[in-house]
Amino acid sequence: MIQSQLTDLTVIPFDPELSIGAANAVNTCLQIQPHEQVTIITDLASREIAASIADQVTRSRAPFRAFVLEEVAQRPLVRMPEEILQALEGSKVSIFAVEVQTNELKSRMQMTEVVNRRKIRHAHMVNINKQIMMQGMRADYARVDAISKKVLSIVSHARRITATTAAGTDLTADLNPAYRWLKTSGIISAEKWGNLPGGEVFTTPGEVNGTFVVDGVIGDYLCGRYGDLRDIPLHLSIRQNRLTEAWSEHKQLQDDFWSYTHTDENSDRVGEFAIGTNIDLKDVIGHILQDEKFPGIHIAFGNPYGEHTGANWYSSTHIDVVGLKFNIWADEQQIMEDGRFLIEAE
């Protein structure tokens, strides 16, 4: 076993209740094998969770190297530390369990560039916490994968997705057949790294138009700032795939979101259109890592993950927005009503 010269995660105590979710991550989602080199990246805020994961990696007998960000770089990260990037170059599996800080997205993109190029099975656990470890990370990922496959089989042949909610969402996404749909159901392969908890299918849309009422959560560092938006929803207007208006009674939320989505020329462009498929989740909790997997629609402005979807444009930003209790149609087929899937996994 290889450890960093600094923190040894194997000697850090952790709540044994974390072990179920950690075992799910290591054994079910990543399927780590004894011969595979693993890199674990964490920070001081998430170190206990990383220790529970390291314990499961140790049980798998796989060699690993662990990094605590504050011990190798200043936060917020300007770039991913070179020694971490070098460790990833020699890894088959990686785990990123970190509480992110403002303007660190670029450093994460540097990390995922290596992950994509080296085809590493990568678990992205941004802003992971104990609540998520004891909820979303305890999901039955065989069931989540089954419903994800069914949704994928329907939407990948659709020309248009329509979505409405009682809160006021009325959205259409015309799909580009040249762009691929992807499944990140929690079962992570070398072809596409995935967030944990898992449970979504997504693509880059051709064109989105309409209104999206964000009564769930928003992503990146704004999630930690504003949490659950049920009582202060953010209303978004989208025309020809661009954000044209953002309004909320919480004016700071409105201004922060507008600023984020105008960082570069494509920050206001819908880069992701996704359907959450984690049917073991019962409600949103105010944390984007888990809440974007909640059954329903979420979209993201900015980076379209073109290396996976086939989109030929780029943005330096990516921010998800999540709504609640959707009605969803793929062409003429209704697949969800009031937040409940109308289709069965095969």
Side-chain angles (χ1 to χ4, degrees):
M1 181 186 305
I2 304 171
Q3 284 283 299
S4 73
Q5 297 178 356
L6 300 172
T7 294
D8 181 354
L9 292 181
T10 64
V11 301
I12 294 176
F14 60 87
D15 185 340
E17 288 295 316
L18 296 171
S19 294
I20 298 173
N24 219 7
V26 169
N27 302 318
T28 302
C29 300
L30 288 165
Q31 300 180 35
I32 294 174
Q33 303 301 308
H35 63 278
E36 294 182 310
Q37 179 66 43
V38 179
T39 295
I40 301 173
I41 305 161
T42 189
D43 63 356
L44 293 175
S46 309
R47 192 169 51 171
E48 181 186 5
I49 291 169
S52 73
I53 294 170
D55 176 64
Q56 294 297 322
V57 175
T58 299
R59 293 171 187 267
S60 78
R61 303 191 305 280
F64 72 93
R65 190 170 182 191
F67 297 90
V68 176
L69 289 178
E70 287 86 351
E71 295 178 347
V72 293
Q74 288 188 331
R75 304 286 301 278
L77 294 180
V78 175
R79 59 172 287 112
M80 189 59 62
E82 190 61 32
E83 60 186 294
I84 294 179
L85 296 177
Q86 286 301 315
L88 288 170
E89 291 283 355
S91 297
K92 290 291 187 181
V93 181
S94 56
I95 300 157
F96 184 78
V98 169
E99 185 175 297
V100 300
Q101 297 184 18
T102 304
N103 297 327
E104 289 190 328
L105 182 60
K106 182 178 179 181
S107 67
R108 298 197 296 278
M109 288 181 173
Q110 291 170 336
M111 173 182 65
T112 56
E113 186 279 325
V114 178
V115 167
N116 292 332
R117 176 167 47 79
R118 301 291 295 177
K119 293 190 178 299
I120 299 168
R121 300 200 309 283
H122 174 76
H124 208 58
M125 305 175 78
V126 170
N127 293 332
I128 189 71
N129 62 21
K130 281 190 171 184
Q131 184 181 19
I132 297 172
M133 287 294 291
M134 296 178 193
Q135 291 183 11
M137 281 312 304
R138 291 187 177 188
D140 180 344
Y141 281 108
R143 291 180 67 236
V144 174
D145 189 57
I147 191 68
S148 300
K149 287 178 179 176
K150 182 64 175 180
V151 172
L152 182 65
S153 72
I154 294 171
V155 298
S156 60
H157 294 98
R159 298 184 306 275
R160 171 177 285 186
I161 306 292
T162 306
T164 65
T165 68
T169 293
D170 189 352
L171 202 68
T172 60
D174 292 301
L175 304 174
N176 185 336
Y179 294 161
R180 293 181 293 276
W181 281 90
L182 295 105
K183 170 177 67 72
T184 55
S185 61
I187 308 300
I188 296 174
S189 73
E191 296 307 312
K192 174 66 180 80
W193 59 267
N195 290 325
L196 288 183
E200 67 176 307
V201 297
F202 72 93
T203 189
T204 300
E207 182 173 297
V208 174
N209 289 281
T211 301
F212 192 105
V213 178
V214 189
D215 52 356
V217 295
I218 56 177
D220 206 347
Y221 61 87
L222 296 182
C223 186
R225 186 173 296 175
Y226 296 107
D228 189 338
L229 300 183
R230 220 173 313 231
D231 296 329
I232 51 163
L234 179 65
H235 298 254
L236 307 177
S237 294
I238 303 165
R239 297 291 178 269
Q240 297 181 326
N241 225 44
R242 297 277 184 171
L243 178 68
T244 58
E245 185 180 0
W247 179 87
S248 174
E249 291 183 357
H250 194 312
K251 297 308 177 186
Q252 191 61 54
L253 163 63
Q254 172 185 307
D255 293 346
D256 284 349
F257 186 81
W258 188 260
S259 177
Y260 188 108
T261 52
H262 289 80
T263 303
D264 64 38
E265 64 179 353
N266 284 321
S267 293
D268 65 345
R269 188 173 178 179
V270 181
E272 177 186 356
F273 188 90
I275 300 176
T277 56
N278 194 323
I279 51 179
D280 281 349
L281 299 178
K282 306 308 179 188
D283 201 356
V284 297
I285 60 172
H287 292 277
I288 191 65
L289 175 65
Q290 178 166 300
D291 291 344
E292 68 174 359
K293 315 311 186 313
F294 187 71
I297 295 284
H298 66 273
I299 63 175
F301 296 91
N303 196 315
Y305 299 136
E307 63 272 23
H308 300 297
T309 66
N312 61 358
W313 55 274
Y314 175 80
S315 173
S316 63
T317 63
H318 182 95
I319 190 163
D320 295 272
V321 293
V322 178
L324 304 176
K325 296 186 177 180
F326 276 90
N327 308 299
I328 304 173
W329 291 263
D331 291 332
E332 304 304 318
Q333 180 182 1
Q334 186 170 6
I335 62 172
M336 178 174 284
E337 182 176 20
D338 197 31
R340 181 177 60 86
F341 280 112
L342 301 177
I343 55 178
E344 297 292 335
E346 296 179 346

